[in-house]
Amino acid sequence: MDYNPKWAGGSNDPTCTSCQRPITSDQRSKRIDFTNDPHGYRGLSGLYHVECSKPFDSLANAINMMSLGHF
Ligand SMILES: [Zn+2]
């Protein structure tokens, strides 16, 4: 698994890419991959809270479709 390596600081919880808060084990999370950010360097690809992921989910779909040459 390649989560963002931001979770130094004593906690093993991964950090939400959107709100930068830890995603605790009782919170639902969602991994979103952007084809223009395969390694998360732009701060797009990564793990999100499900609630935080929604706007990024549709954004990722749009970007991923564009990069597949459907336009
Ligand atoms: Zn979040």
Side-chain angles (χ1 to χ4, degrees):
M1 305 292 278
D2 62 331
Y3 298 129
N4 277 358
K6 292 178 185 168
W7 19 300
S11 165
N12 281 333
D13 293 327
T15 303
C16 173
T17 307
S18 175
C19 69
Q20 302 295 312
R21 296 205 197 107
I23 302 171
T24 58
S25 51
D26 60 343
Q27 292 176 309
R28 293 197 303 142
S29 63
K30 178 167 178 154
R31 161 112 208 160
I32 301 184
D33 287 299
F34 286 79
T35 53
N36 65 344
D37 185 27
H39 303 291
Y41 295 147
R42 298 184 189 196
L44 294 172
S45 294
L47 213 56
Y48 291 78
H49 292 114
V50 167
E51 312 86 76
C52 298
S53 75
K54 283 171 185 156
F56 294 93
D57 209 8
S58 43
L59 188 64
N61 281 336
I63 289 172
N64 294 350
M65 275 213 303
M66 275 190 278
S67 65
L68 288 174
H70 289 321
F71 283 89

